[in-house]
Amino acid sequence: MEKKRGKPMLENNVSFLKAPCTGCGACEVICGKEAINIQMSKEGFFEAVVDKATCINCGKCLDVCIRAGDFTRCSAIKDGKLVAARSTDSIVLQKASSGGAVSEFYKTALSKGYKIIGTEYDLSKEKAMMQISDSVVAINRFAGSKYIQSYTCDALEEVVCYTKSDKHHRAIVVGTPCQIYGINNMLHELKIRDQFILVDFFCHGVPSYLVWNSYLKYIKSRLNVSKIDNVVFRDKGYGWHNYWIKVEAEGKQYSSLGALDCFYTAFFDNQFVNKSCLNCKLRGDFSGADIRVGDFWGKQFENDDDGVSAIVKLTKRGGDFFNQCSNIQVLGRYELSDIMPYQSCGPYKENPLRDQIFKKLFESQDLTAAMKIYQKQYSITKKGKLAVKRVLRKLPNKIILF
């Protein structure tokens, strides 16, 4: 058996890579010995765990893993072609987090006989799950942003079996940049990449499930309920530029402007993201996708409240597919420099108190208490603003403050 990437035979799997795992799931799916499982870590992130007794050190997992540092199968974001666009369907546009482009991608794919793979929030598991479907009904479940990490393996295993069974079978997959990176490499290794359209998006990073679980505990306590019935991570009811979260449970509702919500505050503070997100080159430099999508933030549409998608065509395959999407209105062609300053592309600094913050969150399941650890580092002015926010959070639901 030959060595790969210059590693000794006993170290020829992802468990010996020092960089943090993204939890994309590609290694589990490509492993022919079922020696890898994606499990939840103590910090609350999906990560690969290798059964060394079963592993034969073939190195297949290394061929798909971003931690090996190989971007040769990626496109450079800077070379992509940018357009601003949105769905012509008012219902799709209303439900979408931005311009509804991805829902139109799904509709086009279904019309051509593709399977569609996207992420829905599973209320029973209280987790985001990647799912596969051939039904238009799934589009509504896949629509809208989910600001937590999704589990991918079951859907990926199913779509791989489906496409390998017939060279004419096709599928479209939408996921985070790190998920699509691993999927892209996996499909290349399996020699079925040409049967797929891959779509990723401008990503802020994924927060820990410890954050999400603590937040749900807070919501249930505040509403005095035991079960959540619906979560809208980003509600455009008050306009595209206003981040609102809405949770419905047992006939009650919690809704909050993102700036006043503890989950959104934790998300944008970047203190609870996966370590793999801190210096991720996929956020702004490279992509394994055919198309990258996101919000078209910036001065061009600052007065638009319906939502506009930024669509970056990265490959010829992606450009050809986009041109077949008849229900997408192109609002203009732009330079990447028009949107990149408004995306989360740069590195995040790891807080030296990270271990202490996560320990507090793990032990207490109290998000606010964990946040107070790093908020002590803030200036007096910023601490004053936080105090005001804490008062506003205690106001009754549905009070709108502008």
Side-chain angles (χ1 to χ4, degrees):
M1 188 180 295
E2 141 186 353
K3 298 178 184 178
K4 291 194 176 186
R5 305 188 188 280
K7 289 183 175 294
M9 286 301 300
L10 294 179
E11 298 185 1
N12 208 34
N13 63 61
V14 294
S15 68
F16 295 95
L17 296 174
K18 294 182 180 180
C21 178
T22 67
C24 75
C27 58
E28 176 177 330
V29 177
I30 204 167
C31 178
K33 297 298 180 179
E34 298 184 356
I36 302 176
N37 283 289
I38 298 297
Q39 301 177 9
M40 189 69 72
S41 72
K42 188 175 180 179
E43 277 200 348
F45 300 101
F46 290 121
E47 67 176 12
V49 177
V50 178
D51 179 355
K52 296 179 182 178
T54 305
C55 177
I56 61 171
N57 293 293
C58 66
K60 286 184 179 179
C61 55
L62 294 172
D63 290 328
V64 302
C65 184
I66 189 173
R67 293 182 286 166
D70 186 354
F71 296 96
T72 55
R73 287 171 172 162
C74 290
S75 300
I77 300 295
K78 65 179 179 62
D79 295 333
K81 305 300 181 184
L82 172 66
V83 298
R86 64 173 156 222
S87 171
T88 58
D89 186 325
S90 61
I91 296 175
V92 168
L93 187 59
Q94 182 181 22
K95 190 173 181 62
S97 295
S98 55
V102 172
S103 291
E104 296 300 343
F105 292 169
Y106 284 138
K107 289 199 293 187
T108 299
L110 287 173
S111 72
K112 296 180 179 300
Y114 286 42
K115 295 283 189 180
I116 61 173
I117 297 89
T119 296
E120 66 175 288
Y121 182 70
D122 189 317
L123 291 164
S124 63
K125 296 178 180 178
E126 297 186 334
K127 290 181 174 60
M129 307 290 290
M130 187 173 277
Q131 303 284 4
I132 180 171
S133 180
D134 57 6
S135 170
V136 69
V137 176
I139 296 176
N140 285 334
R141 301 198 305 269
F142 295 166
S145 301
K146 285 86 179 174
Y147 291 100
I148 48 178
Q149 190 180 26
S150 63
Y151 177 79
T152 65
C153 297
D154 294 343
L156 293 183
E157 287 173 359
E158 186 175 346
V159 77
V160 164
C161 288
Y162 171 73
T163 47
K164 286 180 70 176
S165 68
D166 189 324
K167 65 180 182 180
H168 299 295
H169 286 169
R170 297 288 187 268
I172 181 172
V173 185
V174 180
T176 64
C178 57
Q179 290 171 345
I180 295 301
Y181 174 96
I183 293 168
N184 179 49
N185 280 347
M186 175 186 70
L187 298 178
H188 274 290
E189 291 295 317
L190 297 173
K191 304 187 187 311
I192 53 175
R193 177 62 175 91
D194 290 344
Q195 294 170 243
F196 284 78
I197 296 293
L198 299 182
V199 181
D200 68 9
F201 46 81
F202 286 106
C203 181
H204 187 85
V206 292
S208 165
Y209 266 99
L210 296 180
V211 172
W212 182 243
N213 294 340
S214 173
Y215 180 71
L216 290 181
K217 179 182 175 183
Y218 159 74
I219 295 298
K220 290 174 183 178
S221 174
R222 177 162 177 162
L223 296 181
N224 191 25
V225 298
S226 59
K227 180 177 174 292
I228 302 297
D229 297 322
N230 187 39
V231 178
V232 180
F233 285 86
R234 190 167 151 205
D235 182 21
K236 285 198 307 191
Y238 301 110
W240 172 43
H241 293 276
N242 295 304
Y243 276 71
W244 279 79
I245 189 166
K246 181 170 69 176
V247 182
E248 297 168 327
E250 300 175 15
K252 302 176 183 178
Q253 178 178 296
Y254 166 88
S255 60
S256 175
L257 184 65
L260 304 180
D261 180 73
C262 57
F263 173 73
Y264 258 124
T265 300
F267 178 75
F268 285 114
D269 281 348
N270 305 325
Q271 301 293 326
F272 297 99
V273 296
N274 197 347
K275 284 187 177 180
S276 63
C277 301
L278 295 174
N279 294 287
C280 179
K281 292 183 179 296
L282 298 173
R283 289 212 311 274
D285 296 335
F286 301 103
S287 172
D290 298 299
I291 301 173
R292 172 162 290 194
V293 298
D295 293 278
F296 203 115
W297 300 131
K299 61 183 181 179
Q300 287 83 0
F301 300 101
E302 60 185 2
N303 296 318
D304 189 304
D305 252 354
D306 294 325
V308 179
S309 295
I311 299 173
V312 185
K313 294 174 282 187
L314 296 167
T315 67
K316 183 180 184 303
R317 182 190 293 112
D320 291 344
F321 178 81
F322 176 77
N323 291 337
Q324 298 172 48
C325 298
S326 58
N327 291 331
I328 293 181
Q329 177 189 12
V330 174
L331 303 176
R333 290 167 174 78
Y334 295 88
E335 299 297 322
L336 266 297
S337 58
D338 291 321
I339 63 164
M340 295 305 280
Y342 305 97
Q343 305 296 333
S344 301
C345 298
Y348 302 140
K349 185 178 180 181
E350 182 175 351
N351 195 316
L353 300 178
R354 180 184 174 97
D355 289 344
Q356 184 181 342
I357 294 166
F358 272 84
K359 183 174 185 292
K360 181 69 173 179
L361 185 57
F362 179 79
E363 293 177 348
S364 69
Q365 298 182 38
D366 186 336
L367 178 57
T368 303
M371 293 169 69
K372 285 180 179 178
I373 293 175
Y374 65 81
Q375 288 171 349
K376 290 178 181 178
Q377 302 170 312
Y378 289 171
S379 65
I380 294 176
T381 301
K382 196 166 184 178
K383 286 179 180 177
K385 292 180 180 179
L386 282 174
V388 172
K389 283 185 179 182
R390 291 188 186 112
V391 172
L392 293 176
R393 283 177 193 154
K394 295 179 181 179
L395 294 173
N397 293 333
K398 297 186 181 178
I399 289 182
I400 306 170
L401 299 165
F402 292 107

